[in-house]
Amino acid sequence: MAWPTALPLVAILRGITPDEAVDHVEALIAEGFDAIEIPLNSPDWRRSIPLAVDAAGDRALVGAGTVLSPDLVDEVADIGGHLLVTPNTDPAVIRQGVKRGMYACIGFATPSEAFVALAAGAQSLKLFPAANLGPGYVKAIRAVLPPDVPLLAVGGVTPDNLGDYLDAGCIGAGLGSDLYKPGQPVSRTRERAAAFVKAYRSV
């Protein structure tokens, strides 16, 4: 298994609106991001995701987060999303994503959930909520996971602590409110993106 993009940092644009989507996607790509998710608890995601997909073209893997049912997997696939991110471990969602040719990054918190996700076809795993579990937990769980499974930390990751998670065994992270908050200016998104890329490359 391998992470499918050059930079294993996923930009989580929770709460973004269709009017903002393209400008923020362009700012992220300009700073080196090539994996972007729009969570399905964002307003009007059915418009935002295709706008983001079209804007990114082949420069970034774009899709949805907080995907909680097979029907939603189909909706996201039908509007061009290729990245499937979940906060939980639901084999039916994973299997449907794989069936639709999506790249599945599946949320888990325990070894049991991790192996259920992998058995259902997950191509990568996201430890969530990472901040509550910490780098020590990452190190412990990494020891029992297959060594080739990409593991991302999600939840509470900042430029200051990203290196701790990478040192513990994560290949990257999903970045939410420390990267993007609803309504923030594009300049802020670009500034935070640059800080995360710098932190990643300095490890």
Side-chain angles (χ1 to χ4, degrees):
M1 294 183 185
W3 183 255
T5 72
L7 183 74
L9 299 177
V10 180
I12 303 170
L13 301 181
R14 189 179 307 279
I16 202 161
T17 65
D19 291 343
E20 302 169 293
V22 171
D23 288 343
H24 287 271
V25 166
E26 291 289 357
L28 289 163
I29 292 173
E31 293 300 330
F33 274 74
D34 54 9
I36 298 168
E37 70 163 274
I38 295 177
L40 299 191
N41 52 5
S42 302
D44 208 0
W45 59 265
R46 291 175 178 84
R47 288 179 58 214
S48 295
I49 289 175
L51 287 168
V53 168
D54 289 345
D58 60 4
R59 298 177 296 164
L61 180 68
V62 178
T66 320
V67 183
L68 301 177
S69 73
D71 288 346
L72 288 171
V73 172
D74 285 334
E75 280 202 66
V76 173
D78 288 345
I79 57 177
H82 293 287
L83 175 63
L84 167 66
V85 185
T86 73
N88 63 330
T89 309
D90 184 331
V93 169
I94 300 166
R95 286 193 292 267
Q96 189 63 20
V98 172
K99 180 180 177 182
R100 294 299 304 267
M102 303 174 81
Y103 183 87
C105 183
I106 302 303
F108 79 102
T110 68
S112 293
E113 291 171 350
F115 284 104
V116 166
L118 294 172
Q123 293 109 322
S124 63
L125 298 171
K126 66 171 243 191
L127 182 65
F128 176 81
N132 299 75
L133 299 166
Y137 188 85
V138 171
K139 189 172 183 179
I141 207 164
R142 179 80 266 184
V144 300
L145 293 176
D148 62 335
V149 173
L151 175 62
L152 276 65
V154 182
V157 179
T158 69
D160 290 336
N161 67 22
L162 174 60
D164 296 336
Y165 289 101
L166 298 179
D167 289 343
C170 290
I171 63 146
L175 311 170
S177 60
D178 206 70
L179 172 66
Y180 173 82
K181 290 184 176 72
Q184 77 181 23
V186 175
S187 59
R188 175 68 176 171
T189 299
R190 191 159 187 165
E191 173 190 316
R192 298 309 295 159
F196 274 109
V197 171
K198 181 180 180 181
Y200 174 80
R201 291 181 175 157
S202 68
V203 175

